[in-house]
């Protein structure tokens, strides 16, 4: 029996033995009517019902229908009353109905999990064949919905105590009424679908395709088969759960759909004379390239090749061509391909086309490219659509690779997908260096001779176009990584697509570039960057702000011929930099509020303000957002961090940008303000208001909080609220939002304090927001455990850095519940458990006492968790980072994931003792088994001779007075003591001072 870990109460308890709460006390199910269960209060409970199907028949379908008024509950079925050996079932009507196939004479347990006071549901049964394990017991198919049961073979793992299952085929019988097409529709995924004519026919696989219904949000899997009147067919398939199916004969023409295609052969194939789409199925007998050709034309038509049904349903063919029989596509041996030929015009007679497979040629694959001349030249691509590969060997050095097809490629708007790609052969074909429709020009830098692959993806229908290729050696200034050093005054500027120069100013100021008016000048932020420094162009001069000692790139484009440019450096005017700001005058008589009138023009200015006293300085401008790029940037001191004082105010449905913020300053601090106005605005001002900080506005003057109800006011990153909380003894600090409030979110950090009561280091806790999809309510909470061990009582500082307005909260302190913290773990012993829900914001802790041996915590297939194992120090809390982490595996038999946490206590590096398991993530009801395989030294005589311990009746003594730890053979600790312990008769494992484990017998 699994032991549930009731983390709601954070205690370890066994299942209650009340009526109907165990398989042994299960109540007989009312098979045709209402079933009920009532408990004293609403709580999580597992309820059992028992049902036995009549033995005289083929079986039954048991239907469970929930009653919404009682909360419904969730239902499973089991053959033995355990959750590990459950029966497959159908869930219908959005989970309101559960349909369980029950074999003739079979006894099952219906298990309901509820969290309400009362459970009500209706049961009904219907006779049905639920076997289908052979052709003799096959399910009779009908055009009405019928149930396809599941057959499987179960294996019980004794070591880890869980069931695993291998699927077995379920057989369905159908007798054809006419020479038609049988359309089979399954309302769930099935695998290994096969059909045989008669009971002894040869089974043949057939394809199923998925169809998603946008209205019902359901997926069905459909297959089609040609059938003959009077012939009986046996269809077999495998599934993980029972499902509904319908079988219906329909009139369809061979070749009219991809799941009823013509079988194409190597050589000549027939294309009907009528217009329409015709599907062919073709299996390649070898790797190479498939070729579809014909003497006939295909005006207005298309040919598309697909390698799987997903490509068909997503309309992404592996290859296609329009208007002609000229298609070539790569093939893999034994791969099935679907060919769709759409014929736009009827012909007088059926036509033929050839389908063949030819060996790959040079240029067909990335690994077998056509070699190009390193000196450049012209190459012509084949006429057929496809991708063709060419290699170009480039010497060591810096070069531009140029590829260009001057004609033969239609405009991009035509819809063809012709493109050229460049790859470094050594890097493979996963990601091209560059791509272009008609070619490219790409810079490469090689330390040694390097091979590059040029790939042409040709999609013009009839290709055969020529492309030119060449190598251009790179000169200084051709690339951003090798710029020419510019000098003050005149510089030579060669003609070309683009040229790069660099310049390092000796002083801060304006860098001015004067050149031809049609030449574009930019200042990239770094080589090959897509961003540039802000620049201003007036007539022939382009300028940007620069800082002394910083190297800048200058990029020139649009040169028609060789020319020159002049470079000069001019000083910043007053206010153009933080080094030369406009000083804000602060009158001695009225220093608390100072205003500056802004000019009616676009500008980028720096102001400086000297704080006349310590306090809270609020800086505001009434400018509007204008073009959206206006800024108010503030820093305290030249080396301070620049803050963006831009916010927004919501008025109804309209949001308006505002420029205001506050900083805390000391008397004499210099505050630098960078005001950027991109558009001229009339009558705007910049203001500085200094005032004494109010309680809560600064960490040095927090508002003291105690248990009770509070309201956090409006807070932001630039104007947070600060509080202090005194914690006198170990407890859990809880700060929670108030249900039903207009505002519930409070972004916040909790800090420990130093000896002076000031916040230190990184936050120790932060608030988490949560949305309950069941109730549709948003909540927010901060929880912190002060356990008195590694987390000490004392003063804590709370920073509230974001709210959306007045936010009510409740502050309380509660006891540390078992399992909620490392200081109060739940003790586990070897056995099976059901874990409660855990998350990173609500972790759970468990204790295991390990002797020398192998520890393992393994979930059942279909259950996963994330857990960590920690060693402990003398105080019982983690002494090191985690010593082991859980890993996930995949059970091939059940096709489900599972989790394992393992650790080997070798007694040397990994000592025996107390360990903690931290469960960071787990769903409610996660089933797992804890095992411990001991590595025991059979050395009673050796231990006595060694003198480490002695056995005197029921007394185990350590000769040197060392600590003694005694375990029973399940790994559970029996006794701890200093020098000696008393134990009853039995066989035990004793851990010695050196960490060795020995097995002894007490008689």
């Amino acid at each position: 029996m699994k032991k549930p870990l009731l983390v709601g109460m954070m205690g370890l308890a066994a299942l209650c033995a009340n009526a109907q709460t165990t398989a042994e006390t299960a109540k007989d199910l009312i098979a045709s009517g209402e079933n009920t269960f009532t408990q004293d209060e609403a709580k999580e409970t597992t309820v059992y019902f028992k049902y036995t199907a009549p033995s005289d028949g083929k079986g039954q379908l048991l239907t469970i229908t929930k009653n919404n008024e009682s909360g419904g509950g969730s239902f499973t079925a089991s053959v033995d009353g355990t959750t590990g050996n459950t029966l497959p079932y159908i869930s219908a009507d959005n989970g309101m109905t559960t349909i369980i196939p029950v074999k003739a004479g079979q006894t099952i347990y219906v298990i309901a999990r509820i969290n309400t006071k009362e459970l009500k549901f209706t049961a009904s049964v219907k006779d049905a064949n639920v076997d289908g394990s052979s052709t003799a017991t096959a399910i009779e198919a009908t055009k009405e919905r019928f149930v396809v049961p599941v057959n499987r073979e179960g294996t019980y793992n004794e070591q880890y105590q869980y069931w695993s299952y291998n699927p077995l085929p379920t057989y369905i019988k159908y007798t054809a009424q006419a020479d038609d097409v049988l359309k089979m529709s399954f309302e769930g995924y099935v695998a290994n679908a096969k059909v045989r004519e008669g009971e002894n026919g040869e089974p043949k696989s057939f394809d199923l395709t998925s169809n998603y219904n946008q209205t019902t949000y359901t997926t069905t899997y459909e297959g089609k088969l040609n059938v003959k009147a009077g012939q009986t067919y046996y269809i077999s398939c495998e599934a993980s759960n029972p499902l509904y199916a319908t079988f219906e004969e329909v009139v369809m023409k061979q070749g009219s759909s991809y799941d009823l295609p013509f079988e194409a052969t190597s050589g000549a194939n027939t294309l009907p004379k009528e217009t329409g789409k015709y599907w062919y199925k073709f299996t390649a007998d070898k790797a190479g390239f498939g070729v579809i050709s014909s003497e006939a034309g295909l005006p207005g038509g298309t040919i598309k090749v697909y390698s799987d049904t997903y490509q068909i349903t997503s309309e992404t063919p592996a290859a296609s061509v329009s208007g002609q029989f000229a298609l070539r596509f790569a093939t893999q041996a034994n791969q099935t391909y679907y060919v769709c030929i759409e014929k736009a015009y009827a012909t007088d007679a059926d036509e033929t086309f050839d389908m063949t497979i030819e060996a790959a040629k040079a240029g067909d694959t990335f690994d077998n490219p056509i070699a190009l001349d390193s000196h450049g030249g012209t190459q012509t691509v084949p006429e057929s659509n496809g991708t063709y590969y060419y290699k170009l060997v480039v010497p060591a050095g810096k070069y531009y690779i140029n590829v260009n097809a001057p004609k033969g490629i239609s405009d991009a708007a035509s819809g063809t997908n012709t493109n050229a790609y460049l790859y470094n052969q050594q890097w493979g074909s996963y990601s091209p260096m560059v791509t272009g429709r008609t070619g490219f020009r790409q810079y490469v830098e090689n330390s040694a001779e390097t091979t590059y692959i040029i790939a042409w993806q040709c999609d013009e229908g009839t290709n055969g176009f020529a492309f030119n290729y060449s190598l251009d050696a790179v000169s200084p200034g051709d690339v951003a990584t090798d710029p020419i050093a510019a000098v003050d005054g005149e510089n030579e500027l060669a003609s070309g697509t683009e040229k790069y120069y660099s310049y390092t100013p000796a002083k801060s100021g304006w860098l001015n570039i004067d050149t031809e008016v049609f030449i574009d000048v930019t200042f990239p932020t770094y080589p090959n960057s897509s961003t540039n420094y802000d620049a201003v162009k007036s007539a022939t001069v382009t300028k940007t702000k620069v800082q002394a000692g910083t190297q800048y790139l200058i990029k020139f484009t649009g040169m028609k011929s060789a020319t020159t440019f002049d470079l000069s450096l001019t000083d910043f005017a007053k206010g153009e930099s933080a080094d030369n700001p406009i000083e804000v005058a602060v009158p001695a008589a009225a220093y608390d509020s100072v205003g500056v009138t802004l000019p009616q023009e676009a500008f980028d200015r720096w102001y400086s303000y000297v704080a006349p006293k310590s306090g809270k300085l609020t800086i505001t401008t009434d400018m509007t957002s204008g073009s959206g790029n206006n800024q108010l940037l503030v820093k305290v001191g030249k080396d301070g961090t620049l803050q963006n004082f831009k916010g927004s105010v919501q008025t109804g449905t309209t949001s308006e940008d505002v420029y205001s913020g506050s900083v805390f300053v000391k008397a004499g601090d210099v505050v630098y303000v960078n005001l950027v106005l991109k558009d001229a605005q009339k009558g705007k001002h910049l203001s500085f208001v200094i005032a004494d900080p109010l309680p809560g506005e600064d960490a040095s003057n927090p508002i003291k909080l105690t248990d009770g109800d509070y309201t956090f006011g409006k807070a932001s990153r630039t104007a947070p609220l600060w509080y202090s909380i005194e914690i006198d003894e170990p407890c859990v600090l809880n700060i929670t939002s108030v249900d039903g409030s207009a505002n519930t979110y409070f972004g916040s950090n909790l800090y420990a304090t130093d000896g002076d009561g000031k916040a230190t280091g990184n936050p120790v806790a932060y608030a988490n927001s949560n949305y309950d999809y069941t109730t549709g309510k948003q909540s927010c909470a901060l929880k912190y455990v002060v356990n008195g061990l590694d987390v000490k009582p004392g003063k804590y500082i709370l920073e509230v850095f974001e709210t959306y307005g007045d936010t009510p909260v409740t502050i309380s302190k509660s006891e540390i519940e078992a399992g909620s913290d490392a200081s109060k773990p739940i003790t586990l012993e070897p056995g099976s458990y059901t874990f409660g829900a855990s998350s990173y914001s609500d972790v759970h802790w468990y204790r295991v006492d390990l002797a020398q041996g192998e520890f393992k915590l393994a979930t059942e297939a279909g259950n996963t968790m994330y857990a960590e194992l920690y060693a402990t120090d003398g105080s019982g809390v983690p002494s090191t980072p985690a010593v082991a982490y859980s890993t996930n595996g995949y059970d091939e038999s059940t096709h489900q994931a599972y989790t394992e946490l393992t650790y080997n206590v070798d007694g040397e590096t990994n000592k025996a003792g107390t360990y903690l398991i931290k469960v960071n993530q787990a769903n409610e009801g996660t089933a797992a088994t804890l095992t411990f395989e001991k590595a025991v030294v059979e050395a009673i005589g050796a231990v006595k001779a060694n003198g480490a311990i002695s056995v005197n009746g029921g007394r185990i003594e350590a000769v040197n007075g060392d600590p003694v730890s005694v375990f029973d053979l399940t790994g559970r600790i029996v006794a701890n003591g200093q020098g000696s312990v008393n134990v009853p008769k039995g066989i035990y494992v004793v851990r010695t001072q050196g960490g060795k484990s020995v097995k002894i017998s007490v008689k």
Side-chain angles (χ1 to χ4, degrees), residues 474-539:
V474 174
S475 301
D478 285 345
V479 293
T481 55
D482 188 19
I484 299 170
V487 298
D488 294 331
E490 187 175 86
N491 294 262
E492 299 291 332
L493 180 59
S495 62
T497 305
E498 58 190 39
K499 292 292 180 181
Y500 293 88
Y501 288 75
S502 66
Y503 181 74
T504 303
K507 63 179 182 178
S508 299
W510 287 101
L511 175 60
N512 307 287
I513 304 297
D514 188 356
T515 187
E516 305 284 353
V517 70
F518 53 80
I519 295 176
D520 289 326
V521 181
T522 55
F523 303 92
T525 53
Y526 56 87
N528 303 317
S529 170
S530 59
T531 60
N532 302 299
Y533 290 111
D534 287 340
V536 178
K537 185 171 184 177
S538 177

Side-chain angles (χ1 to χ4, degrees), residues 422-726:
L422 181 68
Y423 301 89
N424 185 313
Q425 187 182 53
Q426 186 177 0
W427 299 345
S429 59
Y430 297 105
S431 180
M433 300 170 63
V434 66
T435 181
R437 184 165 178 80
T438 60
F440 50 77
R441 175 178 169 83
Q442 177 63 26
Y443 169 74
V444 295
E445 184 173 343
N446 309 317
S447 59
E449 184 177 85
T450 304
T451 299
Y452 291 89
I453 300 297
I454 300 168
W456 274 102
Q457 176 183 294
C458 301
D459 190 42
E460 299 301 311
T462 300
N463 297 279
F465 56 81
F467 67 90
N468 304 317
Y469 62 94
S470 64
L471 281 181
D472 291 343
V474 174
S475 301
D478 285 345
V479 293
T481 55
D482 188 19
I484 299 170
V487 298
D488 294 331
E490 187 175 86
N491 294 262
E492 299 291 332
L493 180 59
S495 62
T497 305
E498 58 190 39
K499 292 292 180 181
Y500 293 88
Y501 288 75
S502 66
Y503 181 74
T504 303
K507 63 179 182 178
S508 299
W510 287 101
L511 175 60
N512 307 287
I513 304 297
D514 188 356
T515 187
E516 305 284 353
V517 70
F518 53 80
I519 295 176
D520 289 326
V521 181
T522 55
F523 303 92
T525 53
Y526 56 87
N528 303 317
S529 170
S530 59
T531 60
N532 302 299
Y533 290 111
D534 287 340
V536 178
K537 185 171 184 177
S538 177
T540 61
V541 177
T542 304
K543 67 177 183 178
T544 189
K545 290 181 177 181
V546 294
Q547 296 295 317
T550 301
Q551 186 183 69
Y552 292 86
L553 275 176
I554 310 168
K555 179 181 178 181
F556 297 88
T557 56
M559 292 76 71
K560 298 178 181 179
S561 60
T563 184
T564 62
F565 69 88
D566 286 321
L567 183 151
S568 62
L569 191 64
T570 55
D571 292 332
F572 285 128
K574 194 72 169 175
E576 287 187 337
S577 77
D579 294 327
N580 190 16
I582 299 171
E583 294 91 354
V584 176
V586 182
Y591 59 79
D592 57 334
S593 180
V594 178
V596 176
T597 300
L598 302 178
Q600 188 177 335
E601 62 186 22
F603 60 84
D604 182 346
R605 285 188 177 179
W606 283 89
Y607 295 86
S608 66
Y609 170 92
V610 180
K613 70 170 188 175
S614 298
K616 177 185 177 183
L617 176 64
T618 300
I619 303 171
T620 305
T621 175
D622 56 354
M623 69 180 183
T624 62
S625 58
S627 61
N629 295 318
N630 294 338
Q631 296 184 85
L632 175 62
L633 307 173
V634 177
K635 64 180 180 178
V636 180
K638 276 194 177 181
D639 297 327
T641 301
L642 207 59
Q643 301 180 56
N644 188 349
F645 280 12
K646 178 181 178 181
S648 62
V649 173
Q650 190 81 21
T651 305
T653 59
T654 304
S655 178
E656 182 181 358
D657 290 334
V658 293
Y659 299 87
S660 182
S662 299
V663 291
F664 291 90
V665 296
K666 296 178 182 178
D669 281 348
V670 180
V671 180
Y672 293 88
V673 177
N674 183 205
L675 192 59
V676 181
L677 187 60
K678 295 289 186 180
D679 53 340
Q681 296 185 16
K682 184 178 180 180
K684 302 302 178 183
H685 300 82
L686 175 66
S687 67
F688 299 81
V689 177
I690 192 165
D692 294 331
L694 298 174
E697 289 188 333
D698 185 51
S700 63
N701 187 21
I703 298 171
K704 293 182 179 180
L705 299 177
T706 58
D707 289 5
D709 296 329
Y710 295 88
T711 297
F712 293 151
K714 182 74 171 70
S716 66
R717 292 282 184 179
T718 56
L721 300 174
W722 297 89
Y723 301 89
S724 67
I725 301 172
E726 291 286 348

Side-chain angles (χ1 to χ4, degrees), residues 34 58 164 186 284 314 371 489 590 601 689 691 830:
E34 186 176 71
K58 294 184 178 181
S164 60
F186 298 91
S314 61
E601 62 186 22
V689 177

Side-chain angles (χ1 to χ4, degrees), residues 263 339 631:
E263 290 288 340
V339 179
Q631 296 184 85

Side-chain angles (χ1 to χ4, degrees), residues 269-292:
N269 294 271
T270 300
L271 178 66
K273 62 184 179 180
E274 295 85 7
T275 61
K277 287 185 178 180
Y278 298 95
W279 287 87
Y280 300 82
K281 183 179 179 181
F282 176 73
T283 301
D285 59 359
K286 61 183 178 181
F289 279 80
V291 178
I292 300 176

